[in-house]
Amino acid sequence: MLLSTTKSPLDDVAFLARSEHRVTALDALARRPRSRADLRTLTEASASTIGRTLREFEERQWIRRDGHQFEATQLGAYVATGMRELMDRVETEQKLRNVWQWLPTEASGFTIEMGSGAVVTVADTDDPYRPVNRFVSLLRKTDRFRFVGFDVALLEPCKDELSQRIIDGMHTEIIDPPSVAKYVLSTYTDHCSEPLESGNLTVRLHDDLPSYGVSLFDDRIAISGYNPQSGTVQVLFDTDAPEAREWAESTYESYHREARSLTFRPAVE
């Protein structure tokens, strides 16, 4: 017996959402035909649960049976695609929900869609340096590094490794506020002198930088968000999504065009 077509769309959404195995099963059948045993393995649901789920899918005309296997109809595949997109959207929103205030605004061109598939590393009381440690792991895998923004909270904790990577050949360009560059050069003279003299490090100055940081690595980009009250990195958002890369390159170049070169005078012994 076919289900009534007058039911609210929310009824079918609720039917799928009430049990995770239903979403998994329909998505699997939309990808290729599966047997009952395949679905039990995928969902870890009981045989009776899978049987009931398949009957309910058939009543909605979402699947068809072919011998011992089941496959999604066009209707079922359409629903599965929409549900998968919804799940992806909600997963992205959950990752960003508590850190959104530290990231770029929509006015900058940054969008929520760029967060799909991103790694979001958040500081917590037990591990306040989680974002910095994630940043260092990305730094170790790149031959070229570019950064724009307020970098003290991000780069100061890993100054030793950053300095050595530059000396060893990592081409680096950093766009800093003048006050930050002055602080770093005066506080960490030994860390700055050799990298600058190596020719692998260029520092440029800009008077009006964003409140967040943008890092460009060989294969990924990262956004570092700061807590102005604690002065620490609250979140590091990194991704290899092409649209995010395009945004980061454009953002970096817009500041680079307006930045001026730092004049470095090595210490005289």
Side-chain angles (χ1 to χ4, degrees):
M1 178 178 177
L2 297 179
L3 294 179
S4 169
T5 58
T6 60
K7 297 184 70 171
S8 165
L10 286 176
D11 292 332
D12 281 335
V13 172
F15 160 73
L16 284 169
R18 277 197 302 267
S19 178
E20 187 174 341
H21 78 264
R22 293 172 183 165
V23 176
T24 302
L26 186 61
D27 184 58
L29 294 173
R31 296 176 186 274
R32 65 176 178 84
R34 313 266 183 170
S35 67
R36 289 174 184 263
D38 292 335
L39 295 175
R40 288 201 303 273
T41 300
L42 281 170
T43 64
E44 298 183 349
S46 66
S48 60
T49 297
I50 289 299
R52 183 168 59 253
T53 297
L54 291 172
R55 288 193 297 274
E56 290 168 327
F57 284 175
E58 284 182 302
E59 289 173 350
R60 288 171 170 79
Q61 300 190 66
W62 289 351
I63 64 170
R64 66 171 65 90
R65 183 171 183 169
D66 182 12
H68 295 295
Q69 292 196 317
F70 299 84
E71 64 180 350
T73 63
Q74 289 189 42
L75 291 175
Y78 181 77
V79 170
T81 298
M83 200 66 185
R84 184 163 58 245
E85 290 175 352
L86 176 61
M87 296 283 284
D88 289 343
R89 281 177 173 267
V90 173
E91 182 181 17
T92 297
E93 187 277 334
Q94 287 179 339
K95 288 192 294 186
L96 300 178
R97 183 181 300 170
N98 296 323
V99 299
W100 188 248
Q101 68 269 34
W102 314 117
L103 297 177
T105 64
E106 189 175 357
S108 73
F110 184 80
T111 65
I112 296 176
E113 285 76 11
M114 293 180 189
S116 179
V119 176
V120 181
T121 309
V122 182
D124 57 39
T125 54
D126 293 330
D127 191 356
Y129 286 108
R130 287 184 70 233
V132 173
N133 291 336
R134 173 64 182 174
F135 168 78
V136 171
S137 73
L138 298 174
L139 198 65
R140 290 170 178 166
K141 300 175 183 177
T142 193
D143 293 321
R144 184 188 184 195
F145 172 62
R146 289 170 289 164
F147 180 91
V148 59
F150 288 79
D151 61 355
V152 174
L154 182 67
L155 303 184
E156 191 171 31
C158 59
K159 59 186 180 297
D160 294 331
E161 181 150 2
L162 176 62
S163 176
Q164 192 60 52
R165 291 280 289 115
I166 295 171
I167 293 167
D168 290 342
M170 182 179 70
H171 295 284
T172 302
E173 185 171 69
I174 296 174
I175 303 176
D176 262 341
S179 60
V180 171
K182 181 179 180 180
Y183 164 78
V184 172
L185 287 171
S186 61
T187 306
Y188 302 109
T189 304
D190 292 341
H191 287 82
C192 298
S193 296
E194 193 171 353
L196 283 166
E197 292 170 355
S198 73
N200 296 325
L201 172 62
T202 301
V203 178
R204 300 177 70 85
L205 306 177
H206 196 291
D207 297 310
D208 188 22
L209 293 179
S211 59
Y212 49 86
V214 179
S215 299
L216 292 98
F217 306 94
D218 291 348
D219 301 319
R220 301 182 74 82
I221 68 99
I223 301 168
S224 42
Y226 304 89
N227 183 333
Q229 295 179 333
S230 66
T232 59
V233 181
Q234 192 68 25
V235 58
L236 189 80
F237 167 107
D238 67 271
T239 179
D240 60 359
E243 61 272 23
R245 182 80 189 195
E246 183 178 352
W247 173 85
E249 293 277 3
S250 176
T251 298
Y252 184 86
E253 288 304 321
S254 69
Y255 288 104
H256 184 273
R257 285 192 296 269
E258 300 172 351
R260 58 193 182 276
S261 298
L262 169 73
T263 302
F264 173 68
R265 297 180 179 83
V268 178
E269 298 183 0

